[in-house]
Amino acid sequence: EGSGEFFGWFFLFFRSVFPFADEIARKKKISRSKVFSTCLQELAEKHRVAEMAEGYNAMAAEQEQFVKIASKIEHEALPEWK
């Protein structure tokens, strides 16, 4: 059953994606392989940017927690800043 599902998916993919890739390739005057590699590069770049944003957001949340804690005790370390 597993290989049948794979081949069914593969043929569906082949019938739907390849004509679209061929159309893009004709319009841009590039190979179908170049269309696929360009799409994968763009997808990888979007994924990298999303991961960076996620990391920056996590760092910002940690920094916010630190500021909350530090602001509660800052008067102990620096009394003249009251």
Side-chain angles (χ1 to χ4, degrees):
E1 185 67 41
S3 64
E5 288 179 25
F6 170 77
F7 285 113
W9 175 87
F10 177 77
F11 287 119
L12 177 63
F13 175 79
F14 183 82
R15 284 195 323 242
S16 61
V17 174
F18 276 49
F20 183 63
D22 287 337
E23 180 182 337
I24 293 171
R26 271 192 308 278
K27 287 180 180 178
K28 294 187 174 257
K29 298 180 180 170
I30 59 176
S31 70
R32 182 194 306 150
S33 296
K34 184 68 174 174
V35 170
F36 285 122
S37 70
T38 300
C39 288
L40 286 172
Q41 288 172 347
E42 290 175 5
L43 181 62
E45 178 64 16
K46 287 179 182 179
H47 183 69
R48 186 184 68 79
V49 168
E51 283 184 330
M52 288 177 60
E54 184 180 328
Y56 289 139
N57 288 335
M59 288 173 47
E62 289 176 7
Q63 186 68 22
E64 185 178 4
Q65 289 297 327
F66 174 77
V67 168
K68 287 178 182 177
I69 292 168
S71 66
K72 291 178 183 176
I73 62 169
E74 70 183 7
H75 66 280
E76 295 174 14
L78 303 164
E80 63 276 5
W81 281 22
K82 284 186 176 180

